[in-house]
Amino acid sequence: NASIHSSALTQTQVQELMFTEKYAGLSADLKTNLVSWYDLGDTSLGSELVTNGDFEVDSDWNKETGWTIDADIDKAVATSATNGYSIRQSGTLVTTGETYQIEYTISDYSSGSVQIVLGNTPIGTSRSANGTYTEVLTSTATATTNSLGIITDSSGTTLKINNFSAKKVQVMVLLMVQPPLQDTHHHHTE
């Protein structure tokens, strides 16, 4: 965020500004000499695009060789999956040029690596360790069939995936708040 003040700030005020994300979160003290506030980081996410991203049932996903869904443990399972094999959703529209936030968790990692499929195209960072990963990616293709998921990008991939989520990133809004100027200091010179 960027803010413009009409007087010098104390170190405490500067720290407060650094950790304040929204105009509404500013203290009255900081608003006193505030001339302009630019809210630069206001992104919001659309609704969940993935059906059964928690893998509670063995449905809604197209599973290629080496992939299964184990509904007892709520995970998608890759067992010695060959390079280029995926588990993907169909029926979700992914559009070229749109940006998506995709999150998933890898557990029981044994070997190999995976990456995100977006718009039926492998994209994003190759992952080869347990952990929860969040990536913000812009689609380079439009697809409804096999549009979202996980693909192996090395052979012999053995691991489990759960909590797969994808949401469209809404357009950033540049908000400018212009508080009324308060002329509280009258300097009178004779």
Side-chain angles (χ1 to χ4, degrees):
N1 295 324
S3 64
I4 300 167
H5 290 260
S6 59
S7 64
L9 298 176
T10 65
Q11 188 174 348
T12 308
Q13 286 176 317
V14 169
Q15 285 176 339
E16 184 191 332
L17 261 182
M18 286 170 61
F19 297 107
T20 301
E21 290 179 16
K22 298 272 175 267
Y23 176 76
L26 291 174
S27 67
D29 179 41
L30 269 179
K31 285 180 183 169
T32 305
N33 296 312
L34 183 67
V35 179
S36 308
W37 173 268
Y38 302 93
D39 194 348
L40 303 180
D42 202 11
T43 56
S44 60
L45 298 174
S47 55
E48 180 58 60
L49 299 174
V50 176
T51 305
N52 189 32
D54 49 11
F55 303 104
E56 287 186 350
V57 288
D58 186 0
S59 64
D60 307 298
W61 292 86
N62 297 332
K63 300 166 298 209
E64 293 185 323
T65 305
W67 284 96
T68 56
I69 291 177
D70 186 337
D72 292 336
I73 58 169
D74 299 345
K75 291 181 181 176
V77 181
T79 309
S80 300
T82 307
N83 184 20
Y85 283 80
S86 66
I87 180 164
R88 289 186 273 192
Q89 290 253 304
S90 279
T92 300
L93 175 64
V94 170
T95 309
T96 302
E98 294 282 6
T99 301
Y100 300 85
Q101 177 178 294
I102 301 178
E103 192 172 284
Y104 64 98
T105 300
I106 296 176
S107 58
D108 299 325
Y109 175 83
S110 173
S111 58
S113 57
V114 292
Q115 71 181 135
I116 292 167
V117 171
L118 182 62
N120 202 10
T121 307
I123 192 171
T125 306
S126 179
R127 307 290 184 182
S128 55
N130 289 335
T132 296
Y133 301 102
T134 302
E135 292 184 54
V136 176
L137 301 167
T138 300
S139 183
T140 57
T142 296
T144 305
T145 305
N146 293 328
S147 58
L148 274 171
I150 293 282
I151 191 166
T152 57
D153 61 349
S154 63
S155 281
T157 297
T158 299
L159 49 73
K160 295 182 177 76
I161 301 283
N162 67 338
N163 299 324
F164 188 91
S165 162
K167 295 175 180 177
K168 196 192 299 194
V169 177
Q170 311 291 21
V171 182
M172 276 193 216
V173 177
L174 180 64
L175 176 71
M176 183 178 157
V177 179
Q178 189 86 39
L181 286 172
Q182 296 163 329
D183 189 9
T184 51
H185 306 291
H186 289 287
H187 294 292
H188 218 55
T189 48
E190 294 295 321

